[in-house]
Amino acid sequence: MESSVLIVSFGSQYVQLIARKVRELGVYSEIVSPDIEIEEIIAKKPCALIFSGGPYSVYEENAPKLDKRVYELGIPILGICYGHQLIAYEFGGIVEKSDKHEYGKAYLDFKPSDFFKNIPQHTVVWMSHADKVYTLPKDFESIGFSDNSENAVIKHKHLPIYGVQFHLEVYHTEYGKEMLSNFLFDIAKCQPNWNMKSFKEHKIEEIREMVGDKKVICAISGGVDSAVAAVLTHKAIGDRLTCIFVDHGLLRKNESKEVISNLTKLGLNIVALDRSNLFLEKLKNVEDPEQKRKIIGNTFIEIFEEEAKKYNAEFLLQGTLYPDLVESAGIHGSAKIKSHHNVGGLPEKMNLKLLEPLRELFKDEVRALGLELGLPKDMVYRHPFPGPGLAIRIIGDVKEEDLNILREADAIFIEELKKWDLYDKTWQAFAVLLPIKSVGVMGDNRTYEKVLALRAVDSQDGMTAEPSKLPYEFLEHVMRRIIQEVKGINRVIYDISSKPPATIEWE
């Protein structure tokens, strides 16, 4: 990839949005730690650097900072919020706590500049800061102002270094994407050469170089992530890839047969293993969701390491995505939310080397890559399904009886979504069996049975999500079918939580 942007993460909750916005403009972006060595920055040859926001104050003793030599490289730099304040502070300006904190909508006026090309005066921007730049350093000038920030946008007079106090990466900033575009193309002279065709070609070569003449086994689930990873790797190394599908007993109704049939049609070498008894035995009496994920992750690895010996494989291919890394605290500044079985759920020591060609991508980018690789549309747009399967959709202990109840209820929900032409309009939908019972009445009899939650969300990449506004008539219809057809459930609820504060999955 000839043109790329390094985004230095100082712990902002919006750092992923910055990465997405840059990629949407056709430039590859990579998130790095402020601990990155100056030599590594030089080696990566970025067309620009972007400093993210963060929860710190630049004048704090342990506030994260970069090697100051970064400002001598001649690479265009854009600082956002904390990054803006850091630039001013490092060049000798004064940053202090503001008398008036600024959160939410503000109006920006500005001087003529390439940064504001084709942007109207008094434009809406989104602020979120307690500190501000009071005194500019030498050789800097202010080119943008809000009611509370006289230095809302600053630039170096002689170097391509800019800082903005607001968050141009959020959609609340009306012309944020245009400002970012102006910085990338008019100021930094980046080239918009990031697309799935170039990524595919780059990754195929990278996989060939990494694997050499060795063999690879793939942990394949039938979901779009592992399927895309497998097809991509198959194009790179051909028959030296063996895909292993493990039925861990935690799949949805009829899923095993459907997955094997779909994957075989892709021309992949598929080995199917039924290890449901092994997984269910290990999960017996386990209620903690983190422990479930760890057990499932470790058991998968044990199976794959045993299978690898049969095929003389040295690499394990997984469909790990960027959101998996974020939620498993795989990048600087992100707090651990939960372990993903293919990231935080892995044992510390493994005999296999990991191959994760999709780890820089968001879900929508993986789907675009899938279409580029020729995967069928229904497979590419299949709803995400977690590696631990129904184990994390049964809250508490996983029992065979509860798995059967959940399978039937979930199948009804998905079937009706498709009938009502709602499946492709939601990003992910599923049922969750709760560890509570409620009193009900069926006929003339009292019942005391389980409660089922339905969950459907709209999202672009899984990093944030809003509850799908499904028609009430649809929800009522699904509720009646589930209660009438699935023995063991007498109450159905609909989860309307967004992410954040909730996660998409319940566990």
Side-chain angles (χ1 to χ4, degrees):
M1 284 163 281
E2 298 172 2
S3 195
S4 65
V5 172
L6 295 185
I7 300 168
V8 183
S9 171
F10 291 103
S12 170
Q13 62 180 317
Y14 299 129
V15 68
Q16 299 85 24
L17 284 178
I18 303 172
R20 287 197 52 77
K21 293 293 184 185
V22 173
R23 293 187 188 187
E24 286 171 7
L25 289 167
V27 181
Y28 179 71
S29 62
E30 179 183 350
I31 297 175
V32 298
S33 162
D35 298 329
I36 186 171
E37 298 288 341
I38 198 77
E39 292 76 16
E40 187 176 354
I41 294 176
I42 295 170
K44 288 180 179 290
K45 299 179 181 178
C47 63
L49 299 173
I50 297 178
F51 298 171
S52 84
Y56 310 97
S57 293
V58 295
Y59 46 78
E60 292 175 350
E61 184 178 348
N62 296 319
K65 297 180 176 67
L66 279 135
D67 187 323
K68 284 189 177 182
R69 290 177 294 170
V70 72
Y71 303 108
E72 302 170 4
L73 299 177
I75 301 171
I77 298 173
L78 172 63
I80 299 173
C81 197
Y82 175 87
H84 157 81
Q85 296 163 10
L86 179 64
I87 290 170
Y89 185 80
E90 294 284 63
F91 276 88
I94 296 176
V95 179
E96 294 179 350
K97 193 167 291 297
S98 175
D99 294 333
K100 180 183 176 184
H101 296 181
E102 200 171 16
Y103 297 104
K105 182 189 290 187
Y107 293 92
L108 184 77
D109 291 295
F110 48 83
K111 296 178 181 178
S113 168
D114 288 345
F115 190 82
F116 297 117
K117 187 181 74 174
N118 297 327
I119 293 170
Q121 289 285 351
H122 211 56
T123 185
V124 173
V125 297
W126 198 257
M127 296 284 191
S128 181
H129 65 101
D131 296 342
K132 73 175 186 178
V133 178
Y134 273 90
T135 304
L136 287 176
K138 181 184 177 183
D139 291 329
F140 273 79
E141 63 177 320
S142 178
I143 59 171
F145 336 91
S146 71
D147 287 344
N148 189 48
S149 299
E150 60 272 23
N151 298 313
V153 184
I154 64 174
K155 70 178 288 285
H156 196 285
K157 294 178 181 178
H158 312 297
L159 300 174
I161 300 177
Y162 290 71
V164 297
Q165 181 58 76
F166 52 89
H167 287 275
L168 55 70
E169 70 272 26
V170 302
Y171 74 89
H172 305 82
T173 296
E174 284 183 330
Y175 290 88
K177 193 169 183 178
E178 287 79 3
M179 293 180 203
L180 182 59
S181 176
N182 290 340
F183 171 74
L184 292 177
F185 303 124
D186 293 317
I187 296 166
K189 308 300 182 185
C190 296
Q191 298 299 313
N193 53 21
W194 161 254
N195 54 56
M196 282 305 113
K197 182 177 180 181
S198 65
F199 179 85
K200 178 187 74 172
E201 294 168 353
H202 170 77
K203 277 296 171 182
I204 288 173
E205 289 304 314
E206 187 179 274
I207 291 167
R208 284 174 180 156
E209 184 177 336
M210 183 176 179
V211 173
D213 60 356
K214 305 296 188 296
K215 293 183 178 179
V216 179
I217 58 169
C218 174
I220 199 158
S221 65
V224 62
D225 304 337
S226 60
V228 169
V231 172
L232 182 67
T233 303
H234 186 260
K235 287 187 177 294
I237 64 171
D239 292 340
R240 286 184 288 125
L241 171 69
T242 299
C243 297
I244 298 177
F245 173 75
V246 177
D247 184 348
H248 51 17
L250 306 167
L251 298 173
R252 292 168 290 192
K253 186 176 181 180
N254 299 325
E255 190 158 25
S256 182
K257 291 180 181 178
E258 292 175 6
V259 166
I260 293 170
S261 173
N262 290 337
L263 293 176
T264 302
K265 292 175 184 176
L266 296 177
L268 300 172
N269 178 24
I270 306 295
V271 175
L273 305 174
D274 185 350
R275 296 290 186 269
S276 53
N277 290 337
L278 173 64
F279 279 89
L280 294 179
E281 181 62 31
K282 290 194 174 191
L283 289 170
K284 190 176 291 184
N285 300 320
V286 177
E287 296 186 357
D288 179 71
E290 273 298 294
Q291 195 176 353
K292 288 182 190 177
R293 288 175 177 273
K294 294 287 187 182
I295 289 170
I296 292 168
N298 288 340
T299 306
F300 265 121
I301 292 301
E302 290 169 8
I303 293 170
F304 291 131
E305 287 187 335
E306 186 63 33
E307 291 299 311
K309 296 175 184 175
K310 299 179 184 177
Y311 300 99
N312 195 29
E314 292 191 17
F315 288 87
L316 172 63
L317 171 66
Q318 293 196 130
T320 307
L321 303 191
Y322 185 73
D324 300 335
L325 297 176
V326 174
E327 293 194 339
S328 298
I331 66 165
H332 177 85
S334 61
K336 179 178 176 180
I337 299 169
K338 57 189 176 184
S339 295
H340 288 262
H341 83 285
N342 55 342
V343 184
L346 297 178
E348 292 184 9
K349 293 185 178 179
M350 297 193 327
N351 295 323
L352 292 168
K353 300 172 187 174
L354 275 182
L355 183 61
E356 298 173 313
L358 310 181
R359 63 185 285 123
E360 307 104 315
L361 300 185
F362 293 93
K363 177 68 78 172
D364 59 314
E365 292 174 323
V366 172
R367 286 177 168 149
L369 178 58
L371 295 175
E372 177 68 30
L373 288 165
L375 272 68
K377 190 174 180 181
D378 59 345
M379 179 178 288
V380 167
Y381 286 98
R382 183 175 183 258
H383 283 190
F385 186 62
L390 299 182
I392 57 170
R393 293 180 179 174
I394 293 176
I395 311 302
D397 187 14
V398 180
K399 299 173 183 172
E400 188 68 49
E401 176 189 358
D402 289 342
L403 283 167
N404 290 331
I405 290 173
L406 183 55
R407 283 190 186 102
E408 294 300 324
D410 186 82
I412 290 172
F413 186 30
I414 300 302
E415 177 188 330
E416 292 297 336
L417 281 168
K418 291 178 178 178
K419 281 184 181 178
W420 286 59
D421 195 28
L422 294 169
Y423 183 83
D424 290 334
K425 296 175 183 176
T426 59
W427 193 77
Q428 187 174 10
F430 54 92
V432 180
L433 195 62
L434 305 185
I436 56 175
K437 290 185 175 182
S438 71
V439 174
V441 178
M442 291 187 179
D444 295 325
N445 298 317
R446 174 186 184 274
T447 62
Y448 188 57
E449 294 179 332
K450 294 183 179 294
V451 178
L452 184 85
L454 300 179
R455 176 83 157 140
V457 298
D458 300 330
S459 181
Q460 189 174 29
D461 52 29
M463 296 303 305
T464 59
E466 292 293 330
S468 301
K469 293 177 175 61
L470 300 178
Y472 183 83
E473 295 80 6
F474 166 79
L475 291 171
E476 186 177 31
H477 173 71
V478 171
M479 173 274 296
R480 293 191 186 283
R481 273 203 64 190
I482 289 173
I483 290 177
Q484 290 171 6
E485 298 177 31
V486 183
K487 186 177 179 181
I489 296 173
N490 71 354
R491 190 178 298 269
V492 176
I493 63 174
Y494 185 58
D495 180 358
I496 60 168
S497 309
S498 63
K499 176 186 178 180
T503 53
I504 295 176
E505 297 285 348
W506 278 47
E507 287 194 342

